[in-house]
Amino acid sequence: MGGSRPQALTTGYKPRVGPAHTLFSVIYTTIPNRRPSVKDIVGYVKKFIYFYFGRCPCILDIIGYIRSMKEKILNTDHAWKIVGGLSKPGKMPGWSIGIPAKECNTGGKLQDKEGSVCNDCYALKGCYVFKVVQDAQYRRLKAIKDPRWVDAMTMLINSKKPDIFRWHDSGDVQDLEHLQKIYAVCRLTPTRMHWMPTKEAWVKKYLKFKPDNLTIRLSSPMVNQGPISSWPNTSTVVTTKATCPAPEQGGQCLDCRKCWNPKIKNISYGKH
C-alpha cells in the first residue's frame, strides 16, 4: 500500500500546491492500481482525513483546514516563513530541517545514558546551542501544527537543488501526526529522494505506508551496537570501521548517497 503509484510520477512532475490538493494527492497515491469501488473511496477518505490530521479531527482542526484552503501560498518566501525556514548542514549536499534535539522523545531519554549515541549528541553542542539556532528550531517545531505546513514544505523542497532531502539534521519525528505529514510531503515531491534517521521504534508499524522515495533508518541507541535486524534499513555509530566515507572526504558527503539508498541496509558512522 503506497508503493506503486508514486513511481508513475516521473521527472518533471510539478504538483499543484494547495491544502485540498495535498489531501487528494495522498489519497490518489495510496489507492491500489484498480478501479476503486464506492466503499473503497469512502474508506480512503475517512482514513486520510485521519491521515492528514494525525487523529480524528476536532472542529477547530476542520475550521483551520478550511481557512488554510482560502489562503494561497504565494511564493517560496511565504512558504519559508510558514515552516520557519530550512537548515543547510555544511556536510550535506542538500537541504534539511532541524528541530530541537532537546525535544527528541527516545533520544531525550538517551541523552543522560552513558555509552549511548545521544549522550554526546552533536546537535547539543557547537553552533547548535547558539540562541539564534535554538530559536529557529523551536519555530520549526511549532510550525508543524500549521495546517499549511505540508504545502509549504512541498513548495520549498520542490524549489531546491539537488534532488535529495534529509529530515532532521537535529531532532526526530515527534508523533504520528508529524510522521504522516512527512509522508504527505514525500509523496508530493516525487522527484526528490528523502532520508529520515530516527530512534523512534514505533515508526516501524507505519513503514508499510511509506512512500517509495523515502528511506527511514532506525538508529541503534548505543555506540558499537549492531544494527536492529528487524528493520529493513538501519544506521549505527562505531568507533572503528565506519562505512560512511565523510571523514576521508573532508567531512563532506560529496557524491555519496548511501544514506538515501534503500538498497544499502546499514550505514555505520564514526563516533563524533
Side-chain angles (χ1 to χ4, degrees):
M1 189 174 184
S4 57
R5 266 316 163 89
Q7 292 176 342
L9 303 176
T10 57
T11 301
Y13 171 74
K14 295 182 179 179
R16 292 173 54 197
V17 175
H21 188 260
T22 297
L23 188 56
F24 169 79
S25 298
V26 172
I27 295 169
Y28 176 80
T29 57
T30 312
I31 291 178
N33 288 320
R34 61 176 171 79
R35 185 176 181 179
S37 66
V38 173
K39 184 177 180 180
D40 285 331
I41 292 172
V42 171
Y44 280 114
V45 169
K46 287 182 178 179
K47 180 178 290 186
F48 286 98
I49 287 176
Y50 213 88
F51 181 103
Y52 191 86
F53 293 108
R55 61 196 185 285
C56 184
C58 69
I59 188 64
L60 292 178
D61 289 321
I62 296 171
I63 291 171
Y65 185 80
I66 292 171
R67 284 177 176 171
S68 74
M69 290 173 66
K70 296 179 180 178
E71 181 179 348
K72 182 179 179 181
I73 298 176
L74 300 175
N75 51 43
T76 53
D77 288 340
H78 188 192
W80 187 275
K81 290 177 182 178
I82 290 170
V83 305
L86 301 179
S87 51
K88 191 70 167 65
K91 172 185 174 182
M92 297 286 158
W95 294 80
S96 182
I97 185 165
I99 57 178
K102 292 179 181 178
E103 303 302 328
C104 292
N105 295 315
T106 298
K109 298 172 184 176
L110 291 169
Q111 287 166 13
D112 295 326
K113 186 174 180 62
E114 189 173 351
S116 76
V117 298
C118 300
N119 185 238
D120 190 31
C121 178
Y122 70 85
L124 291 172
K125 56 187 179 181
C127 294
Y128 283 96
V129 302
F130 293 167
K131 186 177 185 301
V132 63
V133 176
Q134 287 290 299
D135 289 347
Q137 289 180 347
Y138 274 98
R139 281 198 303 272
R140 295 177 196 136
L141 180 65
K142 182 179 180 180
I144 295 168
K145 299 296 184 182
D146 192 311
R148 303 167 297 173
W149 187 86
V150 168
D151 303 299
M153 284 296 298
T154 296
M155 177 177 281
L156 288 176
I157 292 172
N158 277 326
S159 73
K160 299 297 183 184
K161 295 181 179 180
D163 59 352
I164 57 171
F165 188 82
R166 172 182 175 171
W167 290 93
H168 312 134
D169 62 296
S170 172
D172 205 342
V173 60
Q174 296 292 293
D175 50 32
L176 180 56
E177 178 182 3
H178 187 195
L179 179 67
Q180 291 165 330
K181 287 186 173 184
I182 289 171
Y183 279 13
V185 173
C186 293
R187 288 193 176 96
L188 289 166
T189 55
T191 63
R192 302 296 190 264
M193 292 302 298
H194 297 259
W195 158 46
M196 188 182 83
T198 185
K199 290 183 179 63
E200 301 300 327
W202 58 265
V203 171
K204 183 182 177 184
K205 180 179 178 181
Y206 303 96
L207 289 180
K208 59 186 176 181
F209 301 111
K210 180 184 70 64
D212 288 343
N213 62 334
L214 170 63
T215 298
I216 301 179
R217 296 185 180 276
L218 182 68
S219 305
S220 294
M222 306 300 290
V223 176
N224 290 324
Q225 179 183 354
I228 308 300
S229 60
S230 61
W231 272 64
N233 295 104
T234 55
S235 62
T236 53
V237 175
V238 296
T239 50
T240 59
K241 298 181 178 180
T243 59
C244 171
E248 284 74 48
Q249 299 178 167
Q252 304 288 315
C253 295
L254 298 183
D255 61 352
C256 178
R257 299 292 184 270
K258 289 182 178 179
C259 297
W260 290 267
N261 187 349
K263 294 181 180 178
I264 307 293
K265 183 170 175 58
N266 183 70
I267 304 286
S268 57
Y269 306 105
K271 186 178 183 301
H272 288 276

